Amino acid sequence: MNIRQIKLALTVGLLNSDQNNLLNAIKDLMLGFKEVGAYLGLAVIGKDRLNKAIVKETYAIRFENCTLDVDLVSNPLTRSQSVQGFQLH
């Protein structure tokens, strides 16, 4: 599995994404790579409130051959989301 290539394609795909739900966009992008295998599930592994309106959540998106940890910063009031970072292992 070429982790570097997957990270680059995921970054570009997220920049070009027009989906409101970034977790679904990430899952769809990752499923485009045969190396990652089938989707196994999603779990919240961390949640921090940065201030009254901003929440940072860390998700583990599991596939057969790898796991993608995604730091997602969101504002529930405006329903805006942004990816702060991700790690593929």
Side-chain angles (χ1 to χ4, degrees):
M1 176 174 6
N2 189 344
I3 292 176
R4 188 174 176 171
Q5 183 182 18
I6 292 173
K7 285 181 176 181
L8 179 61
L10 185 57
T11 301
V12 172
L14 285 172
L15 287 172
N16 294 327
S17 176
D18 60 352
Q19 288 190 13
N20 291 335
N21 188 336
L22 289 177
L23 293 174
N24 282 338
I26 292 169
K27 182 182 92 172
D28 293 343
L29 289 168
M30 290 293 289
L31 288 173
F33 294 100
K34 294 177 184 176
E35 299 93 2
V36 301
Y39 174 71
L40 298 178
L42 172 79
V44 178
I45 57 174
K47 185 174 184 176
D48 294 321
R49 183 166 289 280
L50 302 178
N51 63 31
K52 289 183 180 181
I54 306 295
V55 178
K56 177 185 173 188
E57 296 174 311
T58 303
Y59 293 91
I61 305 173
R62 296 179 317 142
F63 297 92
E64 286 179 333
N65 300 322
C66 64
T67 300
L68 182 69
D69 294 337
V70 179
D71 293 326
L72 188 67
V73 177
S74 61
N75 183 337
L77 298 174
T78 63
R79 295 187 177 142
S80 63
Q81 297 178 325
S82 62
V83 175
Q84 185 179 25
F86 59 85
Q87 182 177 3
L88 183 65
H89 53 95

